[in-house]
Amino acid sequence: MCDACVIDEVKRSMLSRRGLLGLGAAAGAAAVMPAGAALAQTQTAAPAATREVRGTALADLTHTLDPEFPTFSGQQQFFMDQRYRVEKDGYNLFDLRIDEHTGTHMDAPLHFSPDGLSVDQLPVADLMAPLAIVDIRAKAAESADAQVTPDDIKAWVSANGELPERCVVAMNSGWAAHVGTPKFRNADASGTMHFPGFHPDVAAMLLEGSAVGIAVDSLSLDFGISADFATHMAWLSAGRWGLECCAGLDALPASGATIILGAPKHRGGTGGPARVFALV
Amino acid sequence: MCDACVIDEVKRSMLSRRGLLGLGAAAGAAAVMPAGAALAQTQTAAPAATREVRGTALADLTHTLDPEFPTFSGQQQFFMDQRYRVEKDGYNLFDLRIDEHTGTHMDAPLHFSPDGLSVDQLPVADLMAPLAIVDIRAKAAESADAQVTPDDIKAWVSANGELPERCVVAMNSGWAAHVGTPKFRNADASGTMHFPGFHPDVAAMLLEGSAVGIAVDSLSLDFGISADFATHMAWLSAGRWGLECCAGLDALPASGATIILGAPKHRGGTGGPARVFALV
């Protein structure tokens, strides 16, 4: 599929989905509304049920971001310009320039959906959730074009019980270990990238349930050779969020951790670098 | 004090403090090191003692950031440029430009200290901490030049017991409510700002203990009329962190909440916008 065809297909698909979104419900979302902030408009139905979380430490699921961080586009997407220096000016300060979709970062529904929630509108209750980690490292080591499939979800359920209510489902493909190498993008001679992602059938399957987000340790919710962003389209257009370039999943249990998503909060943003922790 | 004199004083003070920092100790900091990230160099001594935290909800302590967000400089410090539009391009995406010290944001030790930790080097264990909120709303309503003084800390201790080990001490001056108004900067005819902050004597007092961070609901750790950034200097140069423009403190108890600081993680950064929560 040529690039232009892909874009057209994406647009057609998006328009056809707009009728399915069930827009219009607005509700106070944050547990505590910051003074001066506009009340978030939400598309989600009920707030999360109250559930006690416990832990003794934070695990860091965030890669360090620098100008060399690999990107989906292949172009540099993060720039730092030191405007003040302590030796000369008394303090250090940088101006930053960044494409929202760089580093360990969020995809808000608005990224692929004309009427979707922006990153500042995501309900705070959806930024802390039970974390279900689906380990596909073995098959991803055999083929970089591996995907999380419905069978992988079923295997997780067989081993760990039903997915928790309003959970986050994360793919651990082992790709975080490649972040400092060309293997992270893994582009072939034609420029097509090869890295793992979620199969669109899993997005459809999880949309039947209450999962609030999906996370990948690779550059995209869709696997690298995807020609149509089908997982992005299905998932984000349904008002749920995504996390890309997640780090640190190897050290966590398949079930039992709580993810805490320090999403950016710029008004109208389509996503952005996030500080992501797991409470363990 | 003229501007140039202030800068000179800041530089002199900084140089004189360099001998006091006890630099050189490096230790693995994060509970889980993200693959591909450099090992953080830390100036702090021991990691936090293991302590169980519990909660049922996240309170959001983060203001929504937009281009009109008030700044210390008085100049616009955040810019959004929509590079892709869903109707035309198939997806929405913004390029962002931002001064690190904008919105609800961190000050890393490197902001005022030539050898201080950058924001990506802060130990993850120091980003989750018991939150002690010092309420000076009454005196800040009487005078915008109010400060948190040692007596305010003593009053907190009298009411709530000793400050918890490795806590964060936050000033609630009521200033978060002014964020959408000129009162947030509260500049007089000469341009001098009037808003509350931490008295340098409190920084000195807390440096005797183990507090990891201080937080303010105003634009600066120092009160607006400060001529020498004395609190910044003392606190950050000692390797501890600050949080400015904190929101949402009114709804929290003086003691008992756990702050979770979604600090940015760009390599070598002096601070930056953070997503801040309290687990309650």
Side-chain angles (χ1 to χ4, degrees), chain A residues 77-152:
Chain A
Q77 293 184 176
F78 177 58
F79 303 82
M80 295 177 68
D81 175 30
Q82 186 158 5
R83 189 148 51 98
Y84 296 105
R85 290 177 190 275
V86 69
E87 298 79 1
K88 179 169 146 293
D89 305 301
Y91 58 97
N92 291 308
L93 185 149
F94 288 86
D95 280 328
L96 310 177
R97 191 153 56 86
I98 188 161
D99 171 315
E100 284 175 322
H101 296 271
T102 308
T104 301
H105 73 276
M106 293 283 301
D107 281 5
L110 182 63
H111 184 35
F112 268 76
S113 169
D115 302 306
L117 289 182
S118 54
V119 72
D120 57 306
Q121 292 175 325
L122 293 172
V124 174
D126 289 354
L127 301 180
M128 177 169 74
L131 180 61
I133 300 177
V134 180
D135 188 343
I136 64 159
R137 284 180 286 184
K139 70 178 178 182
E142 290 198 3
S143 167
D145 300 326
Q147 295 181 84
V148 177
T149 64
D151 281 346
D152 294 314

Side-chain angles (χ1 to χ4, degrees), chain B residues 180-198:
Chain B
T181 76
K183 182 80 182 277
F184 198 66
R185 295 187 77 249
N186 205 22
D188 61 25
S190 75
T192 300
M193 292 178 283
H194 298 268
F195 55 72
F198 274 95

Side-chain angles (χ1 to χ4, degrees), chain A residues 181-192:
Chain A
T181 76
K183 182 80 181 278
F184 198 66
R185 295 187 77 248
N186 205 23
D188 62 25
S190 75
T192 300

